[in-house]
Amino acid sequence: MLSNIGIPGLILVLVIALIIFGPSKLPEIGKAFGSTLKEFKKATNELVNSDSNEKSNTEEKTTLQAVEQTTSSKTGS
């Protein structure tokens, strides 16, 4: 979506933002946008990592159960 804007469109958006918000508010808006993007990226990474950890734990439990079943069937025979 944003890849279709191009340099002239980006300049136009920045000029309009400068006119609407003024030069004093623009750095504050940029800082807020940057921190929001940083928090979103952090939350996304945490979500992906928790899914990976959960998948690893599930695989470990399945492997452990398979080993226990194999061990119990060998000792039971």
Side-chain angles (χ1 to χ4, degrees):
M1 181 175 143
L2 293 176
S3 62
N4 295 335
I5 290 177
I7 299 296
L10 185 62
I11 292 172
L12 181 64
V13 168
L14 290 174
V15 168
I16 291 172
L18 185 62
I19 291 169
I20 291 174
F21 297 112
S24 62
K25 290 285 184 185
L26 214 52
E28 294 175 23
I29 293 170
K31 184 178 179 182
F33 179 74
S35 63
T36 302
L37 192 60
K38 180 179 169 184
E39 287 294 321
F40 178 76
K41 193 173 184 180
K42 180 181 174 185
T44 304
N45 287 336
E46 288 177 0
L47 183 63
V48 168
N49 289 338
S50 69
D51 284 346
S52 296
N53 290 341
E54 187 175 310
K55 186 176 180 183
S56 297
N57 289 341
T58 304
E59 290 175 356
E60 288 176 8
K61 287 179 184 178
T62 305
T63 305
L64 182 60
Q65 288 173 350
V67 168
E68 288 175 351
Q69 288 176 353
T70 305
T71 307
S72 65
S73 65
K74 285 182 180 180
T75 57
S77 297

